[in-house]
């Protein structure tokens, strides 16, 4: 983006292996390579309109998008799968509510609505595999592990502050997987993250003072990390590729980096 461009970024998401990231903006989409940092693809507003949510599929030619902002070209209750090679959408999934987020793997697409989550197989022979009811989820909280098995899907449970876990490995249209639950916080969940292998989960509540890291298999707390003593809105949590570190950002204008495998390092800074 040029310095003279007045672009409003609606969302920024890394791809599954953190080698690229995609920016959803009022004036379209930009996709950047991380190392070196260079723009790879851009789609301007006349072609796709303003975009609210996007998800890349590793570094392949497909990405999923949901219109949003002030100049949308498509309905906010549809997920479009766009093919960068063909320069047009190749799949469309439409719902009876606005879509609040989308997550992808190579063979699974997850659409997040206010009170339910839909899981589809795609891009070949797309079909709905399951629909999962949830508590009110206005933030569209939901994460999908980058590699697997397990192909872990995590989202808010019905109880305040709880987290549901579903293993999508081997799921098909005839089989639904009952979620397991972690009682993560006393308040509403504000942010969740899953590491690349689907073995660790991080959560923050709407209070924003603590981040808890969970063992996904044992459903046990591994780390409790203090972001600060004052309440804050946590915007983002991310694991490093090797899961040795975790970072978070908040409305305090700060970024915190925590060591997970050697927590003693965290006491060196306050």
């Amino acid at each position: 983006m040029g310095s003279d461009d007045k672009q409003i970024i609606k969302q920024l998401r890394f791809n599954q292996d953190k080698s690229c990231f995609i920016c959803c903006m009022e004036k379209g989409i930009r996709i950047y390579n991380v190392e070196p940092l260079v723009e790879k693809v851009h789609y301007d507003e006349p072609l796709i309109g303003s975009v609210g949510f996007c998800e890349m599929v590793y570094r392949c030619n497909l990405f999923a998008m949901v219109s949003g902002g002030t100049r949308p070209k498509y309905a906010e209750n549809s997920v479009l799968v766009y093919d960068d090679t063909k320069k047009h959408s190749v799949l469309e999934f439409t719902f009876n509510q606005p879509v609040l987020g989308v997550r992808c793997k190579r063979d699974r697409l997850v659409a997040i609505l206010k009170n339910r989550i839909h899981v589809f197989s795609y891009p070949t022979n797309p079909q709905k595999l399951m629909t999962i009811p949830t508590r009110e989820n206005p933030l569209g909280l939901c994460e999908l592990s980058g590699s697997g098995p397990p192909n872990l899907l995590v989202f808010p449970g019905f109880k305040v502050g709880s987290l549901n876990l579903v293993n999508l490995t081997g799921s098909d249209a005839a089989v639904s997987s009952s979620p397991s639950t972690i009682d993560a916080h006393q308040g509403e969940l504000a942010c969740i993250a899953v590491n690349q292998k689907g073995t660790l989960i991080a959560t923050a509540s709407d209070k924003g003072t603590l981040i808890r890291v969970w063992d996904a298999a044992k459903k046990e707390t591994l780390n409790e990390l203090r972001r600060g003593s004052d309440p804050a809105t946590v915007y983002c949590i991310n694991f490093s590729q090797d899961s040795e570190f975790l970072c978070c950002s908040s409305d305090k204008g700060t970024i915190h980096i925590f060591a997970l495998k050697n927590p003693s390092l965290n006491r060196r800074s306050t």
Side-chain angles (χ1 to χ4, degrees):
M1 281 180 275
S3 59
D4 59 340
D5 289 341
K6 293 182 179 180
Q7 298 277 21
I8 297 176
I9 298 176
K10 308 291 290 183
Q11 186 196 43
L12 187 151
R13 290 276 299 179
F14 283 91
N15 70 341
Q16 290 79 0
D17 62 11
K18 305 294 193 295
S19 63
C20 294
F21 62 91
I22 189 166
C23 295
C24 307
M25 300 180 295
E26 284 284 347
K27 294 186 177 181
I29 286 173
R30 300 288 189 273
I31 297 177
Y32 294 88
N33 189 70
V34 173
E35 278 297 332
L37 181 60
V38 60
E39 182 182 286
K40 302 295 289 184
V41 176
H42 73 267
Y43 291 92
D44 291 327
E45 178 200 337
L47 183 62
I48 60 173
S50 54
V51 179
F53 307 100
C54 265
E55 182 87 341
M56 298 180 66
V57 185
Y58 292 87
R59 296 184 68 97
C60 83
N61 54 304
L62 300 178
F63 63 86
M65 57 169 276
V66 180
S67 285
T70 59
R71 296 181 290 273
K73 187 173 182 178
Y74 305 100
E76 62 180 1
N77 64 331
S78 293
V79 176
L80 278 74
V81 178
Y82 205 92
D83 189 322
D84 181 52
T85 302
K86 298 179 179 179
K87 304 301 180 184
H88 62 76
S89 62
V90 293
L91 288 173
E92 182 174 356
F93 302 91
T94 303
F95 309 94
N96 60 3
Q97 298 179 24
V99 179
L100 302 179
V102 59
R103 301 289 180 263
C104 294
K105 298 193 72 164
R106 297 189 193 278
D107 60 349
R108 295 289 186 269
L109 184 144
V110 178
I112 304 107
L113 280 59
K114 185 173 68 172
N115 55 13
R116 66 192 62 239
I117 290 171
H118 299 285
V119 182
F120 296 86
S121 63
Y122 90 116
T124 304
N125 188 28
Q127 59 178 319
K128 184 186 291 185
L129 302 178
M130 63 179 74
T131 296
I132 306 170
T134 69
R135 71 180 285 105
E136 293 289 299
N137 185 16
L139 298 177
L141 298 180
C142 180
E143 292 297 336
L144 188 58
S145 60
S147 62
N151 293 306
L152 188 65
L153 180 72
V154 299
F155 52 92
F158 278 104
K159 181 181 176 182
V160 174
S162 68
L163 190 72
N164 278 359
L165 290 66
V166 173
N167 189 347
L168 298 182
T169 302
S171 64
D172 57 43
V175 177
S176 63
S177 177
S178 298
S180 54
T181 302
I182 293 174
D183 291 326
H185 298 270
Q186 292 182 342
E188 292 282 2
L189 294 177
C191 196
I192 57 179
V194 181
N195 71 337
Q196 178 78 359
K197 294 182 179 180
T199 57
L200 301 176
I201 304 166
T203 61
S205 74
D206 55 2
K207 189 176 180 181
T209 54
L210 293 176
I211 296 171
R212 294 191 172 111
V213 180
W214 306 86
D215 183 308
K218 297 179 180 179
K219 319 295 187 297
E220 296 176 351
T221 310
L222 297 177
N223 304 85
E224 189 169 274
L225 309 168
R226 180 161 291 278
R227 185 216 54 80
S229 56
D230 295 330
T233 299
V234 176
Y235 292 139
C236 179
I237 304 173
N238 249 314
F239 288 92
S240 62
Q241 280 292 91
D242 57 10
S243 299
E244 291 194 9
F245 297 92
L246 180 144
C247 70
C248 78
S249 64
S250 72
D251 65 348
K252 295 295 185 181
T254 58
I255 294 174
H256 292 255
I257 300 175
F258 301 96
L260 299 180
K261 291 191 176 181
N262 188 4
S264 63
L265 295 174
N266 298 329
R267 291 195 289 269
R268 296 178 184 175
S269 62
T270 57

